[in-house]
Amino acid sequence: MSVYQEITALSTPFLGPAAEQFITRQCTLHLRIEPAALAKQHLAELARCVEVAGVRYMVETKAKELATRIAGFKA
């Protein structure tokens, strides 16, 4: 499984079926990479983006929890 697929799967309990679209958007708009190019070295920055953007879709504590899980992900 790619890092992108793993992060999408990790995000699904928080975002439901919108997880894939949300992570894709963070990759393309904020990280300026294709989702398939997502690698471990991108995860700290992705986590920051997810925490900021996530509060639009979930409560702040959940956005922070998801960001922490992404930042700590071991591929």
Side-chain angles (χ1 to χ4, degrees):
M1 216 186 251
S2 71
V3 173
Y4 168 74
Q5 291 169 322
E6 299 233 19
I7 294 300
T8 299
L10 180 126
S11 302
T12 299
F14 294 87
L15 295 162
E20 185 173 0
Q21 181 181 15
F22 180 78
I23 298 300
T24 296
R25 182 170 289 148
Q26 300 313 303
C27 288
T28 57
L29 295 178
H30 298 290
L31 300 180
R32 300 189 193 286
I33 61 170
E34 289 297 317
L38 186 65
K40 189 174 179 177
Q41 68 263 23
H42 299 118
L43 296 182
E45 182 64 26
L46 178 63
R48 285 189 287 275
C49 295
V50 165
E51 187 171 349
V52 171
V55 296
R56 294 180 181 167
Y57 307 104
M58 63 187 108
V59 296
E60 185 176 352
T61 55
K62 289 293 185 184
K64 286 183 179 190
E65 182 181 348
L66 177 55
T68 299
R69 289 186 184 198
I70 289 172
F73 178 76
K74 305 282 189 232

